Amino acid sequence: MSTDKPLWYGIYQPILTVNKDLKSQVQDYELLLRDENNNFPGKEFLDAILTQEGNERWIESVRPSVKAALTNHPERHIYLNLDPAQLTFPNVWEFLKETHKLYGDQVAIEITERRKLLPSINYFTEEFHKLEKLGYEIAIDDVSSGGNSYEFVYHHLEDIDRIKLSMLIFKNSTIKTALSFAEAWMDFAQEK
């Protein structure tokens, strides 16, 4: 791809498990997109993923990061963040097919919270099924924010393997409120 814009790049944020004694261990990694200033490209990214060319820029930016993280590291497991808007473009699906063929279960998909209202609760059903058929584990990021509501998660239970609750949305709440939300989602996850 030729572009006069600098490519973005991926960095990996470890996902930790923490036991009751507060001992942590890296379980997985999440690919985070960064620009030349080491920031998430924000509006530039959100505008870009609404076009085929913008998604090609995203693909060409994350492909080397995925390769570097997984080549010769069969024990690593990473999550690729995808905005649902990206799944309307054929080049994204080709990249996902190619990536799963190369790395299999080492790569999972994390669906980011949507910034726009859902047209209906059935939104994304076909895309979930396609991801599952490709062999991807599917995680829902930041449940309780954006479009990743309880109703959305409940409607898609058959395809979802993992939910992630960001505690950042509770930064203006009391610890008691934050823990109540977290416990409710944990109870729901264990029940289902």
Side-chain angles (χ1 to χ4, degrees), residues 85-145:
Q86 293 179 270
L87 296 177
T88 61
F89 294 94
N91 60 343
V92 172
W93 285 103
E94 287 305 314
F95 170 71
L96 293 175
K97 287 178 194 172
E98 169 193 313
T99 300
H100 195 270
K101 184 177 179 183
L102 288 170
Y103 306 107
D105 293 341
Q106 285 185 270
V107 180
I109 301 299
E110 186 169 297
I111 304 301
T112 62
E113 72 280 9
R114 288 163 307 289
R115 281 117 182 120
K116 296 183 179 179
L117 293 176
L118 298 174
S120 79
I121 197 61
N122 294 322
Y123 173 77
F124 209 55
T125 299
E126 185 179 323
E127 289 83 355
F128 269 135
H129 292 325
K130 280 178 74 174
L131 287 169
E132 192 174 53
K133 283 181 186 174
L134 286 177
Y136 280 104
E137 172 189 339
I138 301 170
I140 303 297
D141 193 24
D142 294 337
V143 293
S144 284
S145 66

